[in-house]
């Protein structure tokens, strides 16, 4: 999402949630007189959301009503205390349903509490904000503001710089010089990604867009699964998994420890529950893949389910869906195999 779009969405989202409060007042930069008495500084707090993974949604009608009354009255210190109590009781769904309260608490924490706490809360705001508002209408509104009005708004870059968000996007990036291209035996001139190893690190699986197919009378890059074997210190030329690949998108594959069972994702195909589902295939006696099955509704949902990964003991399967009820965007779910080989609900 473009930073300006997210900024504008945050502004309008705030206006919709609390129409009685001036936007300029909400985004106004903090003044010294707004600070609490610093002769008795508040201790730095680490916010622990005790209800996460315990209840799906927290709601207290009385406190919720009081929060908006204090917001309307501009009783910032009292509002800060009420929000602290309410937000720290959030269940998982509150983070994307009550993002406004989370942002309001972050702003007041910056004013009256500890900056490090505010940074943690801003991270959650940036993570859980969703762009579900008419962007064109918002842009027209924003463009109608004069320069004096715009100056009351804190630029979105301020939040990103504050939480050093961009630096946390890829914390697993290796030092420069470690990344080595695997060469033309593995890679193509199109996108190749999602590598996993199996069979004592002698089998490489990857997802590639090198195959182009016709869909709706147009050429599109189709995602397929490719494999390569490691022989005598060299990776063989990558080949497609012909029994697995279809005109639909396949990828993110992983192998069982003995190499006999393959888990992978398939998207927008008949027989799927959602956008992408997890499937399983078994190695046949002739070393081809067959018995391809959807892992079922215990594992898959009506949302996007992908990136399967097996535990070393082959009895626990992890995946990364973006289904509703998660802690914001894609999250790690797991399911484990029962004695009858069925999978428990993820």
């Amino acid at each position: 999402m473009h930073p300006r779009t997210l900024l504008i969405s945050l502004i309008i989202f705030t206006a919709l949630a609390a129409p009685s409060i001036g936007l300029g007042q909400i985004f106004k930069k903090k003044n010294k007189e707004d600070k609490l008495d610093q002769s008795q500084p508040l201790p730095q707090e680490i916010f622990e959301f005790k209800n996460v993974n315990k209840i799906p949604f927290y709601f207290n009608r009385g406190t919720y009503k009081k929060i908006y009354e204090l917001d309307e009255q501009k009783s910032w210190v009292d509002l800060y205390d009420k929000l602290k109590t309410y937000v720290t009781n959030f269940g998982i769904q509150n983070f994307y349903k009550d993002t406004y309260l989370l942002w309001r608490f972050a702003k007041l924490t910056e004013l009256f509490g500890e900056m490090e706490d505010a940074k943690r809360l801003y991270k959650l705001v940036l993570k859980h904000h969703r762009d579900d508002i008419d962007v064109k209408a918002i842009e027209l509104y924003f463009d109608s503001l004069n320069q004096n009005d715009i100056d009351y708004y804190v630029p979105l870059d301020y939040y990103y710089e504050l939480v050093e968000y961009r630096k946390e996007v890829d914390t697993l990036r290796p030092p420069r010089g470690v990344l080595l291209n695997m060469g033309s035996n593995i890679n193509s001139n199109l996108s190749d990604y999602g590598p996993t190893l199996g069979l004592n690190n002698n089998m490489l699986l990857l997802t590639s867009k090198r195959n182009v197919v016709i869909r709706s009378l147009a050429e599109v890059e189709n995602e397929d699964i490719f494999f390569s074997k490691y022989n005598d210190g060299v990776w063989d030329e990558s080949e497609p998994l012909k029994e697995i690949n279809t005109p639909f998108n396949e990828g993110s594959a992983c192998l069982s420890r003995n190499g006999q069972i393959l888990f992978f994702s398939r998207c927008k195909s008949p027989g799927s529950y959602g956008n992408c589902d997890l499937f399983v295939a078994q190695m046949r006696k002739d070393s081809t893949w067959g018995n391809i099955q959807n892992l079922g509704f215990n594992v898959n949902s009506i949302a996007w389910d992908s990136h399967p990964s097996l535990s070393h003991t082959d009895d626990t399967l992890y995946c990364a869906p973006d289904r509703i009820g998660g802690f914001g965007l894609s999250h790690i779910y797991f399911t484990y195999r029962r004695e009858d080989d069925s999978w428990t609900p993820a």
Side-chain angles (χ1 to χ4, degrees):
M1 186 189 307
H2 193 280
R4 172 171 166 151
T5 302
L6 180 52
L7 165 62
I8 296 169
S9 299
L10 279 170
I11 292 170
I12 299 302
F13 182 45
T14 304
L16 293 174
S20 60
I21 303 174
L23 290 173
Q25 182 67 32
I26 290 173
F27 281 89
K28 203 169 184 178
K29 296 179 181 178
K30 61 183 179 181
N31 299 316
K32 291 181 180 178
E33 58 267 27
D34 291 330
K35 295 285 285 185
L36 285 176
D37 180 8
Q38 295 300 313
S39 61
Q40 294 181 337
L42 293 172
Q44 182 172 346
E45 298 179 18
I46 297 177
F47 295 100
E48 295 183 359
F49 301 98
K50 57 188 178 184
N51 284 329
V52 168
N53 291 331
K54 292 183 180 179
I55 62 172
F57 185 75
Y58 173 78
F59 180 70
N60 183 300
R61 187 181 300 276
T63 306
Y64 193 83
K65 182 180 179 182
K66 185 64 175 179
I67 284 171
Y68 279 95
E69 289 177 357
L70 293 172
D71 214 350
E72 196 169 317
Q73 296 164 9
K74 300 181 175 63
S75 300
W76 307 131
V77 177
D78 292 337
L79 177 60
Y80 172 63
D81 290 335
K82 282 291 181 185
L83 280 172
K84 182 188 298 185
T85 301
Y86 198 86
V87 170
T88 52
N89 278 294
F90 270 13
I92 287 177
Q93 294 178 10
N94 291 94
F95 287 90
Y96 60 86
K97 291 182 178 179
D98 289 327
T99 313
Y100 168 74
L101 296 183
L102 188 64
W103 176 84
R104 202 74 181 92
F105 184 39
K107 186 63 180 175
L108 292 175
T109 300
E110 182 188 354
L111 293 173
F112 302 137
E114 295 291 331
M115 180 57 75
E116 290 304 312
D117 290 339
K119 289 180 181 180
R120 296 185 186 98
L121 293 166
Y122 281 134
K123 288 179 185 179
L124 291 173
V125 172
L126 291 170
K127 179 178 181 182
H128 292 92
H129 172 73
R130 299 197 175 189
D131 184 23
D132 54 1
I133 304 172
D134 186 350
V135 175
K136 291 184 179 179
I138 294 168
E139 289 176 347
L140 289 174
Y141 173 82
F142 186 82
D143 290 340
S144 69
L145 296 174
N146 60 46
Q147 186 59 45
N148 291 332
D149 290 330
I150 291 175
D151 287 342
Y152 281 111
Y153 294 86
V154 177
L156 187 66
D157 286 345
Y158 166 76
Y159 294 115
Y160 279 104
E161 291 172 5
L162 186 67
V163 303
E164 297 181 338
Y165 187 76
R166 290 189 178 94
K167 293 181 181 179
E168 297 185 0
V169 171
D170 186 4
T171 57
L172 300 178
R173 185 175 298 159
R176 192 171 293 180
V178 172
L179 293 174
L180 299 175
N181 193 300
M182 293 192 71
S184 58
N185 270 7
I186 300 296
N187 294 305
S188 67
N189 59 351
L190 294 174
S191 298
D192 303 289
Y193 48 93
T196 56
L197 289 169
L199 288 177
N200 298 318
N201 295 338
N202 289 319
M203 172 75 78
L204 175 70
L205 297 170
L206 67 142
T207 306
S208 178
K209 287 186 175 181
R210 67 189 69 178
N211 288 337
V212 176
V213 298
I214 304 296
R215 289 186 191 145
S216 302
L217 303 180
E219 289 188 351
V220 297
E221 296 172 359
N222 185 51
E223 290 180 296
D224 282 329
I225 301 171
F226 282 70
F227 73 95
S228 173
K229 293 181 179 179
Y230 192 67
N231 289 309
D232 298 325
V234 178
W235 288 100
D236 293 338
E237 185 174 349
S238 55
E239 303 176 44
L241 279 179
K242 296 180 180 179
E243 301 88 6
I244 302 296
N245 295 330
T246 68
F248 306 101
N249 288 332
E250 286 86 20
S252 302
C254 70
L255 279 170
S256 63
R257 194 171 183 178
N258 61 9
Q260 299 298 302
I261 302 176
L262 177 77
F263 295 89
F264 64 96
S265 302
R266 178 175 286 167
C267 301
K268 298 180 179 179
S269 65
S272 293
Y273 296 94
N275 189 335
C276 293
D277 277 9
L278 300 183
F279 285 74
V280 62
Q282 294 181 342
M283 179 74 77
R284 295 182 289 212
K285 291 182 178 180
D286 61 356
S287 297
T288 60
W289 293 103
N291 194 24
I292 301 171
Q293 296 180 4
N294 188 303
L295 277 176
F297 62 86
N298 270 359
V299 177
N300 293 306
S301 69
I302 59 173
W304 181 88
D305 299 281
S306 188
H307 299 298
S309 180
L310 269 176
S311 66
H312 290 299
T313 52
D314 283 355
D315 59 356
T316 304
L317 180 69
Y318 299 90
C319 58
D322 69 347
R323 63 186 68 175
I324 294 297
F327 200 64
L329 305 181
S330 296
H331 274 62
I332 298 174
Y333 283 66
F334 75 93
T335 174
Y336 61 89
R337 195 196 309 268
R338 299 188 180 105
E339 291 184 0
D340 63 357
D341 283 340
S342 65
W343 294 95
T344 62

